[in-house]
Amino acid sequence: MITIGLLREGKVPADNRVALTPAQCKWIQKNAPEVRVLVQSSADRCFTDREYRSAGVEVRDELGECDILFGIKEVPVKDLLHGKTYLFFSHTKKKQSWNREMFQAILERQITLIDYECLEHDDGQRILGFGFFAGVVGAHNGIMAYGNRTGKYVLGRVHRQQSFRELIHTYFGLRLPEIKVVVTGSGRVAHGALEVMNLLEIVEVEPEEFLARSFHYPVFTQLKGSGLYVHARTGEYHRDEFHQHPQDYRCKFLPFTSTADILINGVYWDRNMPRLFEWSDLMSDGFTIRTIADITDDREGSVPCNLGESTMEDPIYGVDRQSRLRTAPYLPGSVDVMAVGNLPNELPRDASRYFGEQLIKHVLNDLIRGGSVIVDRATMVKRGELTAHYQYLAEYAGGG
């Protein structure tokens, strides 16, 4: 018998998503009799303790007898149980300094850590993630913020709706002005953003047309890797080469900063990749973008004016284009930025349901059977030791 536990989220502010819904837990216990599911009691989770109990799942305060523990966000050091197997988004693969203490505790307590972010198909595509709903909420918030700035239309908050279906109903009858929106990226985040573009009846146009023309209706264009980056020497784009040597590429986004009103950024970024634009571009008179929904949310990353996270409760802040200081939103001379790290929390039940479906379909059987190539590749730490693929984290994991 293998016992799986669903963790109560301990990170502050609390996340309300969960890896498995009550219905999914019930399905597992019915179809995999060798698996038992326990749920740690939580007042913040989008599915209540009562809903789990109604599905025949035991709810308790302690999960010490569990073999495998599923969370969402980082687990506080005080809550990490010795010798257990954990799955959650650890946010450590880029050596994030704020999670170093937690990562060191994982090694010290001989824990096995399997990071959701590292679970990938053979072609490198991520198996699990909340990116689609991050894209939906991020794009909605970006369009909403531009309406708040201009006063030309009103779009309400996502979290006031009970579901994605209800959110769609709020779009009926909404007439948008002649806005021009750029969506960057091609993954799940971008797909979620494109869903909102289509639901709002914002018309897609080719990048060249977007740059050259004015329109009497709302339009958007999508920029994927080949539309954003080019090799500095050859002028070409090759996806694998770009990801291996991004420092050899330059970004060609700049013309869009003088034609777009809204940027919805869903492009992956790390420190070696060129930014979409620089502060000097933002400060110029020709910079027309007034709203940036930075769904990727890397502080001072692909969007340099991301000055840190905002919250779900207060998602938009302003950045003065000259002083570079964070301000209230919607002020003259500023650009509005949305940089929320837990966007799917605004549609938590839909997001959790989708996540759990992928977890059951692609990962659960491998976990129950003791592993697989996919699970092994995503195992950063095994019983307190860094695995071969993650030896580059040795210094980060050390105590020095």
Side-chain angles (χ1 to χ4, degrees):
M1 175 69 71
I2 294 176
T3 305
I4 289 173
L6 298 187
L7 292 167
R8 174 173 55 234
E9 294 298 309
K11 187 177 181 180
V12 179
D15 199 288
N16 58 5
R17 292 168 291 171
V18 67
L20 294 167
T21 71
Q24 290 164 351
C25 292
K26 181 177 181 178
W27 186 92
I28 291 170
Q29 294 191 141
K30 179 181 178 181
N31 291 276
E34 73 278 21
V35 178
R36 178 188 181 203
V37 182
L38 300 178
V39 175
Q40 192 169 27
S41 179
S42 172
D44 299 312
R45 194 179 285 127
C46 61
F47 293 96
T48 65
D49 290 353
R50 182 178 180 180
E51 287 177 283
Y52 281 100
R53 290 191 180 101
S54 296
V57 183
E58 184 178 348
V59 179
R60 55 168 63 178
D61 284 327
E62 301 297 332
L63 298 179
E65 68 180 84
C66 293
D67 305 295
I68 302 171
L69 295 163
F70 290 113
I72 297 298
K73 288 294 189 71
E74 301 93 319
V75 177
V77 171
K78 65 180 178 59
D79 296 332
L80 288 167
L81 300 178
H82 188 277
K84 301 297 182 182
T85 294
Y86 281 87
L87 287 89
F88 58 89
F89 291 104
S90 73
H91 299 118
T92 56
K93 64 179 291 188
K94 296 182 184 179
K95 304 181 183 180
Q96 289 93 323
S97 59
W98 52 91
N99 286 330
R100 190 181 185 199
E101 181 186 359
M102 177 198 69
F103 196 71
Q104 291 171 340
I106 286 170
L107 276 78
E108 291 165 3
R109 299 180 193 179
Q110 298 178 25
I111 287 168
T112 295
L113 171 63
I114 302 169
D115 195 310
Y116 294 136
E117 188 178 355
C118 302
L119 287 163
E120 297 178 340
H121 293 293
D122 291 338
D123 62 359
Q125 291 296 312
R126 281 178 55 183
I127 295 172
L128 298 176
F130 293 95
F132 176 82
F133 287 100
V136 166
V137 178
H140 175 103
N141 286 352
I143 302 297
M144 175 194 73
Y146 190 78
N148 292 345
R149 167 174 280 276
T150 61
K152 293 182 178 180
Y153 58 92
V154 175
L155 203 55
R157 293 298 310 276
V158 175
H159 67 78
R160 292 177 183 154
Q161 312 306 317
Q162 293 297 312
S163 67
F164 186 33
R165 180 178 296 178
E166 288 190 15
L167 177 66
I168 292 172
H169 286 300
T170 69
Y171 296 159
F172 295 165
L174 180 69
R175 292 179 61 85
L176 294 176
E178 302 167 6
I179 57 174
K180 298 180 77 174
V181 185
V182 177
V183 178
T184 61
S186 57
R188 284 193 178 105
V189 167
H191 290 159
L194 296 180
E195 183 74 9
V196 172
M197 297 298 103
N198 292 327
L199 288 168
L200 289 173
E201 298 184 354
I202 303 176
V203 179
E204 183 173 13
V205 297
E206 292 299 317
E208 297 78 11
E209 191 179 10
F210 186 95
L211 291 174
R213 285 187 52 195
S214 296
F215 298 86
H216 298 298
Y217 46 87
V219 299
F220 80 93
T221 196
Q222 181 186 13
L223 300 178
K224 303 178 183 180
S226 60
L228 284 170
Y229 306 106
V230 63
H231 194 282
R233 181 174 53 82
T234 66
E236 298 178 350
Y237 174 84
H238 299 285
R239 183 180 182 276
D240 291 341
E241 181 190 51
F242 170 68
H243 285 284
Q244 291 171 9
H245 305 287
Q247 67 277 5
D248 295 336
Y249 281 69
R250 62 178 177 84
C251 185
K252 54 180 183 177
F253 179 77
L254 196 57
F256 294 89
T257 66
S258 58
T259 54
D261 303 302
I262 302 169
L263 165 61
I264 298 173
N265 183 38
V267 70
Y268 175 83
W269 187 83
D270 69 30
R271 294 176 184 175
N272 294 320
M273 291 181 176
R275 288 170 161 174
L276 296 180
F277 55 88
E278 298 296 338
W279 275 106
S280 57
D281 304 314
L282 185 73
M283 297 167 69
S284 72
D285 292 337
F287 193 92
T288 61
I289 296 173
R290 289 296 175 264
T291 301
I292 300 175
D294 189 13
I295 306 172
T296 304
D297 191 24
D298 290 297
R299 180 171 181 150
E300 298 177 357
S302 53
V303 172
C305 54
N306 180 333
L307 301 184
E309 282 196 6
S310 47
T311 64
M312 187 176 81
E313 293 74 23
D314 192 17
I316 315 297
Y317 61 83
V319 176
D320 186 279
R321 293 168 57 200
Q322 302 304 318
S323 70
R324 306 186 183 185
L325 297 177
R326 186 164 170 163
T327 69
Y330 317 130
L331 297 179
S334 69
V335 60
D336 300 316
V337 175
M338 187 223 63
V340 178
N342 58 348
L343 286 167
N345 274 26
E346 294 206 44
L347 287 172
R349 293 171 74 96
D350 290 277
S352 296
R353 192 174 295 112
Y354 176 79
F355 186 89
E357 287 172 359
Q358 303 309 306
L359 180 60
I360 291 170
K361 183 176 181 180
H362 297 293
V363 180
L364 187 63
N365 282 339
D366 290 344
L367 283 173
I368 294 170
R369 293 169 183 162
S372 67
V373 173
I374 287 174
V375 170
D376 291 348
R377 278 200 304 254
T379 303
M380 301 181 76
V381 180
K382 189 166 187 176
R383 292 189 286 274
E385 299 289 337
L386 285 174
T387 58
H389 193 62
Y390 299 95
Q391 286 297 318
Y392 73 92
L393 294 171
E395 183 178 349
Y396 174 75

